[in-house]
Amino acid sequence: MKIISFLTKVVSSLILVSCFIACNNDNRKDIEAYYFPVDDLEDGLVYEYRPVGQDSIGHDYWYYITVKQDGQTHFVGNYYDAELNVRQLVREEKVENGMLLQDMYLYATDTLGKQMKISVEVQANNAYPFKVSDPSGIFLYKVKWNDPYEEGSHTTLIRNRRYIGDTTYIYQGKTYPAIQIELKELIENFRANDGYAEPQYSGLEVYAKGLGLVYYRKDISEEFRFEY
């Protein structure tokens, strides 16, 4: 697999019931409790995501840990592939109105098996909002990185998230309140020798109260999707 297609999959993989619950006084819904339980993860926890209907695809693993220092709360995630090779590291900061992406690194392996750490430029850092409108608010996430194996080539991921309503999710026999976040993505691949390619994708994320992200999907085409 070409390195750029691998990185795009890593970062991208990187997933309606109308609102009928009490919202706060400014008519925005408070969804903080549906994100990962950041304040309870100082000892760290592994989340295993299993593919839906595709047994040939390996599981994804995320190790999350919270670090509190100097009055700030940092939420760190490490992504591992099915062979438990680290592929991505992200650090978010918890602020009053949401989670902000502070740092991101990708890890790629060359043909000799050597792993390289790739720094990602954060251009729009909205990782997860704590209050949303129903359903008009759109939150922008944008990152960019250079291809270490092809000088002058780079990739930009632009992701819009939008709250679209409430649902429920069953985990280990218990039903949890949950929310749905619609995804729209544009991936700008610039190749120094070939110019731009700009594939667009849609997707869905489901966050369960007290658990965090429990389901995600990316629609590559009408016939093919990644779903965990």
Side-chain angles (χ1 to χ4, degrees), residues 10-14 35 62 88-92 99-106 120-129 138-145 156-161 183-186 205:
V10 168
V11 175
S12 302
S13 63
L14 335 64
Y35 197 55
W62 279 90
Q88 186 177 347
L89 183 149
V90 296
R91 181 177 66 89
E92 299 172 4
M99 303 297 296
L100 300 180
L101 178 64
Q102 299 298 320
D103 302 298
M104 175 184 287
Y105 299 93
L106 305 178
V120 175
E121 177 187 352
V122 179
Q123 297 184 344
N125 63 351
N126 295 296
Y128 183 91
I138 294 177
F139 298 87
L140 174 65
Y141 173 103
K142 184 177 181 181
V143 294
K144 177 183 178 181
W145 67 93
T156 301
L157 169 66
I158 303 170
R159 176 182 292 149
N160 289 331
R161 283 186 170 96
L183 302 178
K184 296 292 185 182
E185 291 185 352
L186 172 67
E205 295 176 334

Side-chain angles (χ1 to χ4, degrees), residues 188-203:
E188 297 178 348
N189 285 328
F190 177 74
R191 304 292 87 201
N193 297 324
D194 300 319
Y196 275 99
E198 297 184 337
Q200 299 183 49
Y201 307 108
S202 60

Side-chain angles (χ1 to χ4, degrees), residues 30-32 35 38-39 67 71-75 91-102 125-131 139:
D30 189 334
I31 62 170
E32 179 178 356
Y35 197 55
V38 174
D39 293 329
V67 179
Q72 295 180 317
T73 299
H74 299 280
F75 188 52
R91 181 177 66 89
E92 299 172 4
E93 181 180 355
K94 183 180 180 181
V95 296
E96 182 179 359
N97 61 349
M99 303 297 296
L100 300 180
L101 178 64
Q102 299 298 320
N125 63 351
N126 295 296
Y128 183 91
F130 287 163
K131 294 183 180 181
F139 298 87

Side-chain angles (χ1 to χ4, degrees), residues 65-220:
I65 189 168
T66 298
V67 179
K68 296 183 179 181
Q69 186 177 18
D70 300 328
Q72 295 180 317
T73 299
H74 299 280
F75 188 52
V76 181
N78 284 280
Y79 165 62
Y80 297 84
D81 62 21
E83 286 73 43
L84 299 184
N85 299 305
V86 62
R87 294 303 186 187
Q88 186 177 347
L89 183 149
V90 296
R91 181 177 66 89
E92 299 172 4
E93 181 180 355
K94 183 180 180 181
V95 296
E96 182 179 359
N97 61 349
M99 303 297 296
L100 300 180
L101 178 64
Q102 299 298 320
D103 302 298
M104 175 184 287
Y105 299 93
L106 305 178
Y107 295 83
T109 304
D110 63 18
T111 55
L112 300 177
K114 182 179 179 181
Q115 196 170 57
M116 177 178 292
K117 183 178 181 180
I118 303 167
S119 179
V120 175
E121 177 187 352
V122 179
Q123 297 184 344
N125 63 351
N126 295 296
Y128 183 91
F130 287 163
K131 294 183 180 181
V132 293
S133 301
D134 179 24
S136 58
I138 294 177
F139 298 87
L140 174 65
Y141 173 103
K142 184 177 181 181
V143 294
K144 177 183 178 181
W145 67 93
N146 296 320
D147 186 341
Y149 304 106
E150 187 175 330
E151 185 176 356
S153 298
H154 57 81
T155 298
T156 301
L157 169 66
I158 303 170
R159 176 182 292 149
N160 289 331
R161 283 186 170 96
R162 183 172 69 95
Y163 163 75
I164 58 172
D166 298 341
T167 185
T168 57
Y169 186 83
I170 299 175
Y171 176 67
Q172 294 185 344
K174 181 179 178 180
T175 300
Y176 291 80
I179 61 168
Q180 299 180 97
I181 302 292
E182 180 188 63
L183 302 178
K184 296 292 185 182
E185 291 185 352
L186 172 67
I187 300 176
E188 297 178 348
N189 285 328
F190 177 74
R191 304 292 87 201
N193 297 324
D194 300 319
Y196 275 99
E198 297 184 337
Q200 299 183 49
Y201 307 108
S202 60
L204 181 73
E205 295 176 334
V206 175
Y207 292 83
K209 192 173 185 178
L211 296 177
L213 180 65
V214 293
Y215 170 87
Y216 58 93
R217 186 186 80 225
K218 167 162 301 180
D219 300 317
I220 305 302

